[in-house]
Amino acid sequence: MPGGTRFRLCPPVVPLIKIYVVKVGVRFYKNEASQRIRAATPPASLNFRASVILRRVAIGAMGLERVQRRLAAPAELCAGEGEGRQTAPPCGRLSAAAAEGAATRRVGPVPMLVRVLKKVIATRYVLALREGGSLPGLVEADDLGMYVVKFIGAGQGRKTLVAEVVAGELGRALGLPVPELALVEFDAVIARGEPDQEVQELLKASGGLNLGMDFLPGSLGFDPLTFEADPGFAGRVLWFDALTGNVDRSWRNPNMLLWHGRPYLIDHGATLIFHHNWSGADRFVGRAYDAADHVLSGFSPDLAAADEAFAPLVDEGLLRSVVGLVPDEWLVDEPGFDAPEDVREAYVRHLSARVADRSWLPGVAG
Ligand SMILES: Nc1ncnc2c1ncn2[C@@H]1O[C@H](COP(=O)(O)OP(=O)(O)OP(=O)(O)O)[C@@H](O)[C@H]1O
Ligand SMILES: [Mg+2]
């Protein structure tokens, strides 16, 4: 290069650059490879494998003859096993409870119960989901799962998390598609690496147990103008929302996701509003549910069928097992109650009374 400046790299720098290039290449390849593996193992195929294992466990536990009898039973006898039924959690992860449910289910409307919520430890705060009012975040946990986490330190308070568990697991027990829930143990130390001030403060205030929901990657928000829902499914969702007083399933904010072509119900934090004022909770027992804005009210919801199927299932036993999933630390020191167990009983009493009443059901009230 006559007249120009020549830059020469001194010899030790060259191998260093080579090593760096190789490292970056390996990292890139790893990311690419893991993405390809994820893409090649869609949850549906994992679900399928899981369902094969489940079926084997069920056959072993029930005996072939009873299984054949169950399969021969008319479909309408099996509660919630029609469209919209989710027998295994999404992402192919199969909870022990689901396996137990499959092994003990008999002919007849027996709801699917979760016996304990899975507990995981948060290992990484990945991203803030800014579209959520409570600033939920995407969190990676020690089981390598990804969870949408609602934080105990959020302004909405711990009762939102209680409502997520009670309503979410009640919905699941009725056969409605709710992504798997988990308790996420969060060490506030993770907050130190968070550059966003608002998120950092939220994380600092959220040490201990938080609520995680299985992340459904690539899911779409349900749009009632674009997607369809059949009257049976619409009726069951509406009945469930009416029972729990869910004000957060409107066409403006459906809180329903479509994932692999199936609908999933999320965000039950705004249900059970009676628990914000226990001393006046009795007034809510017969409170009518306003379905005018409900996202599924335009799909001719079959409420009569839903009521016939669901009302007999929501008994004290089911309610007790569902509120039993709420950790003590979200219930302690509740004004007016001596112990978490008393708060649980108050939920059971209130919801039992509401099921017995049912003047709140749209089309019944008034
Ligand atoms: N399990 C999930 N998988 C994928 N995306 C999710 C999941 N849960 C929530 N999201 C996404 O995060 C958004 C916020 O979640 P969510 O509605 O539960 O939070 P929120 O703070 O209660 O919101 P809001 O009260 O404003 O409705 C959802 O609209 C959805 O886009
Ligand atoms: Mg929401």
Side-chain angles (χ1 to χ4, degrees):
M1 263 215 291
T5 316
R6 290 193 79 170
F7 291 101
R8 296 197 63 202
L9 295 171
C10 58
V13 175
V14 177
L16 278 180
I17 291 177
K18 277 188 189 159
I19 289 171
Y20 182 71
V21 169
V22 169
K23 270 190 166 179
V24 170
V26 167
R27 189 172 296 173
F28 178 74
Y29 174 78
K30 271 188 176 170
N31 279 345
E32 280 281 296
S34 63
Q35 274 171 17
R36 276 204 306 276
I37 290 168
R38 269 173 185 241
T41 52
S45 71
L46 290 173
N47 267 342
F48 175 73
R49 267 181 267 153
S51 74
V52 170
I53 294 169
L54 254 185
R55 230 161 262 177
R56 285 182 188 158
V57 171
I59 289 172
M62 293 168 73
L64 191 57
E65 195 198 322
R66 279 171 64 195
V67 170
Q68 280 168 341
R69 232 185 316 138
R70 176 168 180 265
L71 291 177
E76 63 270 22
L77 281 181
C78 302
E81 285 198 344
E83 5 61 79
R85 171 80 170 162
Q86 182 200 2
T87 50
C91 288
R93 280 189 243 128
L94 200 61
S95 68
E100 191 181 349
T104 55
R105 241 181 293 145
R106 293 187 198 93
V107 176
V110 180
M112 197 173 79
L113 300 175
V114 168
R115 298 294 155 99
V116 280
L117 285 185
K118 180 162 76 171
K119 207 184 244 185
V120 296
I121 300 172
T123 50
R124 190 162 65 101
Y125 182 86
V126 181
L127 171 87
L129 294 170
R130 298 264 168 201
E131 64 263 55
S134 63
L135 204 55
L138 193 57
V139 168
E140 194 174 63
D142 63 341
D143 65 344
L144 304 183
M146 284 284 196
Y147 296 87
V148 172
V149 172
K150 301 274 180 84
F151 292 99
I152 190 94
Q156 283 75 355
R158 65 183 191 176
K159 285 194 181 158
T160 311
L161 310 193
V162 175
E164 289 272 8
V165 171
V166 175
E169 291 304 333
L170 182 58
R172 186 192 322 289
L174 294 174
L176 293 171
V178 179
E180 188 183 15
L181 299 181
L183 299 174
V184 182
E185 179 85 45
F186 204 84
D187 187 335
V189 158
I190 294 181
R192 284 195 203 150
E194 176 52 47
D196 183 302
Q197 179 88 19
E198 189 189 3
V199 174
Q200 192 181 91
E201 272 161 25
L202 174 63
L203 302 187
K204 272 197 208 147
S206 300
L209 289 183
N210 297 270
L211 191 270
M213 178 179 269
D214 194 19
F215 175 58
L216 309 183
S219 51
L220 290 175
F222 179 88
D223 178 352
L225 298 178
T226 313
F227 303 109
E228 290 285 325
D230 78 84
F233 178 70
R236 291 195 293 277
V237 174
L238 187 47
W239 191 96
F240 162 71
D241 284 335
L243 168 67
T244 56
N246 189 4
V247 294
D248 241 357
R249 192 110 52 215
S250 68
W251 53 267
R252 288 181 208 87
N253 188 12
N255 287 311
M256 251 171 80
L257 299 178
L258 273 188
W259 191 59
H260 292 273
R262 296 184 60 194
Y264 287 86
L265 308 180
I266 62 160
D267 191 3
H268 298 110
T271 60
L272 316 181
I273 49 172
F274 61 85
H275 65 174
H276 294 286
N277 176 18
W278 280 110
S279 58
D282 287 351
R283 278 186 281 121
F284 286 83
V285 166
R287 168 83 53 105
Y289 183 71
D290 182 1
D293 280 352
H294 194 278
V295 66
L296 298 180
S297 56
F299 294 97
S300 315
D302 189 349
L303 276 171
D307 189 52
E308 198 185 335
F310 282 174
L313 296 180
V314 187
D315 58 15
E316 287 197 4
L318 175 60
L319 291 167
R320 215 159 265 132
S321 64
V322 165
V323 295
L325 298 169
V326 180
D328 278 1
E329 65 184 77
W330 296 352
L331 300 172
V332 284
D333 299 331
E334 183 64 29
F337 295 91
D338 290 335
E341 213 39 59
D342 301 334
V343 190
R344 291 195 182 92
E345 272 311 297
Y347 281 102
V348 172
R349 268 198 313 277
H350 184 96
L351 289 167
S352 304
R354 193 155 162 83
V355 172
D357 181 298
R358 301 226 290 298
S359 58
W360 42 265
L361 199 58
V364 176

